[in-house]
Amino acid sequence: MTMLSFLSNKMLTSSGGPVLPQASFRIADDPINQSQLDHVTALMQVGQHRKAFVQLQPLVKADPMNPSLLEAVSDCYWLMGTTGQSMVVLNTIADIWPDNVAVWGKLGARNLALGDKPAAETAFERMLALAPDSALALAALNLIKTFAPNSKRAQKLHILAADTSLSFEERAGVINALGQIESAAGNTKEAFCYFQQAKDATPGEYAPNEIDAKVADQCRAFDPKTMPEVASECAEPRFAFVVGLPRSGTTLLTAMLSRHARVVSNGESPSLIDTKLALKQIVQQDFPSTGHWQWCQHASPSLLAAARQTFRKKNLPESVEHLSVVVEKLPQNAFEMGFARMMLPDAKFIFMARHPLDVGLSLFTNGFATGHAYTKNLEWIGHMIRASYASLEDYQPKLGDRLRIQSYRALVQSPEPQMKEITNHLGLDWDQSCLSPQHSEDALKTASVLQVREGINQKGIGKWKRYETELAPLIEALGGWHWIRAWEEKDAA
């Protein structure tokens, strides 16, 4: 979860994960309404957004001036993808209760997700006016426009960085903001010190040996020629998995694809991993196994068919008449392409490949409130990059033409010919709208939102060069310049 996602969660918006925090304020004391509202929140937590919305309607009719109910309505609209209606309701709440800090924070976070930086800035300024010591508001404003090193707001961040009463997310966000300020000023060494402090303030441990074992088990045990799979149905819409390391361009490609008239995106959905874990638990009741892949040999076609049916029911939108492809974008799915191949033999895969030093730099300099523990130091980042490519190299011959490796560099330098190849890979006709991801009406909830809203550009190429000295541990962990140059040669080809 990036700092942007954490801001969104704090302001009660979905960050693509399964958990929706409780409403930020409650005025009504009616215990029946409170119980019903808690039930609605529980429905949203498990993805039953429309059912939650239906149950909200009589509650709002009976108590139309209850801000908790109105906030839940806004959340339902947001989670259903009706972002315009969500923002109308949220702005109404802000108009009626202008002194509520959390409402302005939520407005800011959601406007950021929609790419409206001026509106987001206004909302966070209102939040800061109400709560001058708000670490979240200051970090968000710095994200929109980096503070000058000697500004009053930068000085305030320094004070907050020493505040032991802050949560670890808030403190890590403040320290990361100080790193961004020093980086923008050209002080790379000082910036990296702050970035490391921000990582140190974030809990989590990475186990390289576990990742190595998982990849080794994949290489040894996954073989589509011997693994069970369901029969191909060629049912539309089909699923496409956009995978790759975080910060490799997966958000950009998904935004470009989502502009296609026959494509919809589910965002960073954990559904594939959840489905795999659920099926694994069922199989292991009769065939105990400690490996990552051995259990799959006992997943019968009928079980896989049931898993596919459940997966499709959960991940297909209500109306699919105009759709050909549903995009699932989650970096961790890069390791799960083999399982997706078993369950969804018609699925296609696109692995985004961006320069490993640009990816590593971005992973280290962006704050992740929870998850992605490997980003806590450069050596771990290097290990994860190498492990991801080891998994990819094993999957290439096994997945065949289902898998496309897409160069980030090629995509931003030659977007039209690259996107024509990508749409052809997914069985889609060409749609010129794919070249304008900045006009997407979808809410983007990853750290890449501000970059994507700038449209297709080459700003993300070669950023690592000004940090080469500071990136020495990453370079070594990747295997030195020999491995990096070999990667560059493959990417150029």
Side-chain angles (χ1 to χ4, degrees):
M1 182 189 296
T2 64
M3 185 59 193
L4 176 59
S5 297
F6 170 66
L7 283 167
S8 299
N9 268 348
K10 276 295 187 181
M11 306 316 164
L12 312 181
T13 182
S14 170
S15 66
V19 177
L20 181 74
Q22 295 290 323
S24 55
F25 47 91
R26 310 288 194 199
I27 291 181
D29 294 324
D30 185 341
I32 298 178
N33 279 354
Q34 183 59 60
S35 175
Q36 291 172 313
L37 187 55
D38 288 343
H39 178 61
V40 166
T41 302
L43 290 174
M44 286 191 280
Q45 287 176 340
V46 295
Q48 298 186 33
H49 312 135
R50 295 189 182 278
K51 186 174 181 180
F53 187 76
V54 169
Q55 296 197 15
L56 273 171
Q57 291 178 351
L59 300 179
V60 175
K61 184 176 181 180
D63 191 3
M65 292 300 290
N66 185 325
S68 298
L69 294 175
L70 294 177
E71 185 178 23
V73 170
S74 176
D75 290 342
C76 272
Y77 275 132
W78 185 262
L79 293 170
M80 290 188 296
T82 315
T83 56
Q85 287 295 97
S86 174
M87 296 304 287
V88 167
V89 176
L90 199 54
N91 277 296
T92 300
I93 298 173
D95 288 341
I96 299 174
W97 293 279
D99 294 333
N100 189 279
V101 175
V103 170
W104 291 109
K106 177 182 276 191
L107 269 173
R110 289 191 174 169
N111 276 310
L112 265 187
L114 294 170
D116 191 343
K117 289 202 291 186
E121 185 175 7
T122 298
F124 284 124
E125 289 287 2
R126 291 292 298 270
M127 181 184 183
L128 195 62
L130 293 168
D133 292 332
S134 172
L136 293 173
L138 280 168
L141 287 168
N142 186 71
L143 185 68
I144 296 170
K145 186 176 181 180
T146 308
F147 303 151
N150 296 323
S151 65
K152 290 184 178 179
R153 288 188 170 176
Q155 294 172 9
K156 184 67 173 180
L157 286 171
H158 279 285
I159 294 172
L160 288 171
D163 187 347
T164 57
S165 68
L166 295 181
S167 67
F168 78 82
E169 298 102 332
E170 291 170 319
R171 187 166 183 271
V174 165
I175 298 172
N176 181 271
L178 291 171
Q180 300 294 347
I181 291 170
E182 293 296 336
S183 178
N187 303 321
T188 57
K189 183 177 181 180
E190 293 82 355
F192 263 60
C193 287
Y194 281 120
F195 292 139
Q196 187 60 69
Q197 289 177 37
K199 296 295 186 181
D200 292 341
T202 305
E205 287 295 325
Y206 176 58
N209 292 340
E210 292 183 12
I211 297 298
D212 288 339
K214 182 175 183 178
V215 174
D217 201 40
Q218 170 198 312
C219 297
R220 180 175 56 255
F222 173 67
D223 183 353
K225 295 178 182 178
T226 60
M227 287 286 184
E229 67 175 52
V230 294
S232 176
E233 290 183 349
C234 297
E236 285 202 341
R238 305 177 305 279
F239 284 89
F241 294 87
V242 175
V243 303
L245 288 149
R247 314 299 294 157
S248 63
T250 55
T251 299
L252 172 63
L253 177 57
T254 300
M256 295 173 77
L257 284 171
S258 297
R259 293 282 292 152
H260 195 288
R262 300 187 65 81
V263 176
V264 69
S265 168
N266 284 335
E268 293 196 344
S269 168
S271 293
L272 180 64
I273 294 174
D274 291 346
T275 302
K276 177 184 175 182
L277 292 176
L279 185 60
K280 182 179 181 180
Q281 289 178 355
I282 294 173
V283 172
Q284 288 185 327
Q285 290 177 4
D286 297 321
F287 301 97
S289 170
T290 57
H292 293 280
W293 283 98
Q294 283 79 0
W295 67 272
C296 292
Q297 299 172 357
H298 305 289
S300 65
S302 59
L303 274 177
L304 285 167
R308 177 172 67 180
Q309 183 178 5
T310 300
F311 181 87
R312 289 181 64 86
K313 182 178 180 180
K314 184 175 181 179
N315 291 281
L316 290 180
E318 286 193 350
S319 176
V320 298
E321 292 181 2
H322 71 291
L323 294 177
S324 293
V325 173
V326 176
V327 175
E328 298 277 329
K329 183 195 89 73
L330 188 70
Q332 297 93 310
N333 283 342
F335 292 106
E336 311 300 341
M337 291 189 287
F339 173 71
R341 158 79 168 77
M342 294 168 57
M343 183 178 66
L344 301 161
D346 300 318
K348 293 294 182 71
F349 307 91
I350 302 173
F351 184 101
M352 285 298 298
R354 184 185 177 195
H355 196 290
L357 294 183
D358 277 329
V359 169
L361 172 67
S362 191
L363 288 171
F364 188 68
T365 58
N366 274 278
F368 294 83
T370 56
H372 303 305
Y374 63 90
T375 68
K376 292 190 61 173
N377 68 59
L378 292 168
E379 291 86 352
W380 287 353
I381 291 174
H383 181 272
M384 176 58 82
I385 292 174
R386 286 296 302 267
S388 297
Y389 277 95
S391 171
L392 174 66
E393 289 170 4
D394 175 68
Y395 274 137
Q396 278 184 269
K398 294 176 179 179
L399 297 180
D401 60 7
R402 292 177 175 84
L403 170 62
R404 174 184 173 87
I405 300 176
Q406 176 58 50
S407 164
Y408 171 83
R409 174 198 52 77
L411 180 63
V412 298
Q413 289 180 343
S414 305
E416 184 166 345
Q418 291 294 308
M419 282 304 295
K420 285 183 176 178
E421 291 185 16
I422 291 169
T423 52
N424 182 62
H425 172 67
L426 298 180
L428 296 166
D429 294 330
W430 173 239
D431 188 333
Q432 193 74 16
S433 299
C434 291
L435 301 179
S436 54
Q438 68 274 20
H439 299 316
S440 173
E441 296 180 358
D442 293 341
L444 302 176
K445 308 180 185 79
T446 74
S448 305
V449 57
L450 297 182
Q451 292 93 328
V452 172
R453 295 302 182 185
E454 293 179 357
I456 303 168
N457 61 73
Q458 300 181 37
K459 296 178 183 178
I461 297 178
K463 281 190 170 184
W464 64 268
K465 294 178 180 179
R466 63 187 288 246
Y467 300 95
E468 184 174 344
T469 300
E470 287 75 23
L471 290 173
L474 172 61
I475 293 169
E476 183 178 353
L478 287 171
W481 285 107
H482 175 75
W483 187 87
I484 296 170
R485 297 307 183 204
W487 185 97
E488 291 173 341
E489 290 176 5
K490 289 180 181 179
D491 186 64

